[in-house]
Amino acid sequence: MQFSQSDTVAPCGAEESLAGQLLIAMPSLAESEFDRSVIYLCAHSADGGAMGIVINRRLSQPGFDDLLQQLDIAPTPPRRRIGLCAGGPVEAGRGLVLHSTDWGGDGTLTVNNEISLSANLEVLKDIAAGEGPKDALLALGHAGWEAGQLEEEIARHSAWLVAPASREIVFGSDHAVKWRKALAAINIDPLRLASFTGSA
């Protein structure tokens, strides 16, 4: 797994950026790797594309303790543990930590007033020591779109719904309910989603 000492995450600026919001996978993606995915968008702009973290795909292996051992991060066992998820198909071996803004370091991208993204070892070292950000989620890999690609997928009304993010959904430990909770945030019943999309 890649995790550098001072890895930088490049921000995408845009007037109508969707950064800081959730993408909810529609039924049309049921046969894809994004089936029932909820993605937190970390960066988005019309000319720079988009990047996000799948926040509801729990990884059972490697365990958080095992991962810290691989990275030679003490103490063992750590004084604190955080959730580990499959963040997406792009650079699946790269570690990214989505966390509250009460922690910052080299290369940390501030998404908004509540959430930041870091790709360096320092945040994991602080978490292992029992410190670091109040809320955190470690993802391996991320999801990405080229310029204009996400806008096209959203405009088709068949791939993604956009919803506001909440601390409970982003950092909640029960990954199984995040998709339904994200839909509930925009008042959509999953059972009626097929008719909402116009599919049979």
Side-chain angles (χ1 to χ4, degrees):
M1 187 190 78
Q2 299 172 353
F3 228 119
S4 76
Q5 291 287 349
S6 58
D7 216 344
T8 300
V9 181
C12 293
E15 291 180 13
E16 296 183 16
S17 175
L18 294 176
Q21 298 193 60
L22 300 175
L23 292 180
I24 309 170
M26 299 276 266
S28 64
L29 297 177
E31 300 301 318
S32 78
E33 59 197 327
F34 291 113
D35 179 34
R36 293 196 173 208
S37 287
V38 179
I39 297 176
Y40 181 82
L41 277 178
C42 302
H44 170 248
S45 71
D47 58 356
M51 176 266 185
I53 302 290
V54 178
I55 58 172
N56 66 330
R57 289 276 182 269
R58 184 184 302 280
L59 272 183
S60 57
Q61 296 294 329
F64 186 66
D65 291 23
D66 296 333
L67 190 144
L68 292 184
Q69 278 191 320
Q70 290 174 23
L71 296 171
D72 199 24
I73 294 177
T76 304
R79 293 193 179 96
R80 179 183 167 204
R81 294 175 176 85
I82 60 173
L84 182 61
C85 67
V90 182
E91 295 184 299
R94 183 185 189 203
L96 297 164
V97 179
L98 199 61
H99 59 86
S100 49
T101 53
D102 52 347
W103 187 95
D106 289 342
T108 293
L109 166 66
T110 300
V111 180
N112 55 30
N113 292 333
E114 289 85 35
I115 296 180
S116 294
L117 182 70
S118 294
N120 61 57
L121 285 174
E122 298 309 311
V123 63
L124 286 181
K125 289 178 179 178
D126 283 355
I127 290 169
E131 301 171 355
K134 176 183 177 183
D135 298 310
L137 179 69
L138 172 58
L140 296 184
H142 65 274
W145 295 262
E146 296 178 354
Q149 183 182 359
L150 180 58
E151 290 85 347
E152 182 181 334
E153 291 179 7
I154 292 173
R156 287 202 307 261
H157 301 293
S158 62
W160 305 103
L161 292 171
V162 179
S166 69
R167 177 179 175 272
E168 179 185 13
I169 294 175
V170 176
F171 297 113
S173 59
D174 190 349
H175 291 355
V177 303
K178 290 186 178 185
W179 188 72
R180 289 181 176 275
K181 284 188 174 182
L183 287 172
I186 51 175
N187 299 312
I188 292 180
D189 182 345
L191 298 177
R192 297 178 179 269
L193 197 53
S195 61
F196 174 83
T197 61
S199 60

